[in-house]
Structures are given as structure tokens and as C-alpha cells.
Amino acid sequence: QVQLVESGGGLVQAGGSLRLSCAASGRTFSSDVMGWFRQAPGKEREFVAAIIWSGGSTNYADSVTGRFTISRDNAKNTVYLQMNSLKPEDTAVYYCAAKVAPFAITVARMKAPSWYDYWGQGTQVTVSS
């Protein structure tokens, strides 16, 4: 059974940084896509970033491009989201997601929460102004 466990959230001032981690277990993720999503109160879950485990290709939401970086550590089976220059509008619960052995990968699919097979429990990020 695939398990995803997020950590690293917290309270930070605007302009600060946080690094989120997603520890993955239950399978070999070499052929999978890992994504980060976020959900603010009263809003829909939205795409933040994704990485194709094999090769490391990445994709970002326009709102975080240039500020956030997604990466993975093969040895630790862990995906990271480095968040810099944080803004109050980045406040949300951040979720890690995994798409197992996708048949076809497109940017549109990577951005769709419904495409993913497994989700973590989420970690709260709060950015104060």
C-alpha cells in the first residue's frame, strides 16, 4: 500500500522560506509522477508543482514559478517543495500526491487533482503579513 507523509509546514513571515517533504513508501516510484497541491479555506484544491520521478522533469503553477522548487531524492524516496519568497496568499494546506505508473503524461493531467492515485494527509503552511 502506497503511503505519503508530508512534513515541514509551519508559520512563517512574508518573504520567508519553508521546505516541505513528502516521504513515500509502499512501492518503487521510478515510473511515477509526484505532485504538490494546496487548498485554502473555502477554495478548491489547486496545483502547485509536479515532477516526473524518472528524469526529473518539472512543471509549476504560474503563481509559484520562480519562487518554489520541486525536487526528489531517489535514495530517500522523498519529494521536496522548497518555497521561497512566501506570500500571505500561499497560506493553505499543502498535499503531496502520487500518480502510479501513468500510461501517458501531459501537463494538463499533471495539474488535475483527479488524475492522482494517492494523497498524503496534508501539512499546514501559514504566511503572516
Side-chain angles (χ1 to χ4, degrees):
Q1 181 71 12
V2 172
Q3 284 192 320
L4 305 175
V5 180
E6 302 100 332
S7 61
L11 173 64
V12 65
Q13 289 188 330
S17 299
L18 283 174
R19 188 178 80 158
L20 306 183
S21 299
C22 172
S25 62
R27 61 176 274 108
T28 300
F29 293 89
S30 58
S31 59
D32 300 343
V33 175
M34 306 296 292
W36 283 100
F37 289 77
R38 66 187 182 187
Q39 188 166 18
K43 295 187 177 182
E44 292 186 351
R45 191 166 298 190
E46 66 172 357
F47 171 77
V48 175
I51 186 167
I52 301 173
W53 200 285
S54 174
S57 296
T58 59
N59 194 271
Y60 296 93
D62 290 343
S63 59
V64 306
T65 297
R67 299 188 298 124
F68 292 10
T69 302
I70 188 172
S71 62
R72 85 267 192 253
D73 185 322
N74 292 337
K76 296 182 178 180
N77 249 16
T78 299
V79 176
Y80 302 100
L81 185 68
Q82 178 66 44
M83 306 186 295
N84 299 328
S85 302
L86 283 161
K87 305 175 181 179
E89 51 263 45
D90 294 318
T91 295
V93 177
Y94 282 70
Y95 297 91
C96 176
K99 175 63 181 178
V100 172
F103 178 72
I105 301 172
T106 67
V107 171
R109 287 176 175 173
M110 286 195 289
K111 293 182 175 181
S114 60
W115 187 62
Y116 291 81
D117 301 307
Y118 297 96
W119 291 85
Q121 82 288 351
T123 185
Q124 176 71 46
V125 171
T126 303
V127 185
S128 63
S129 57

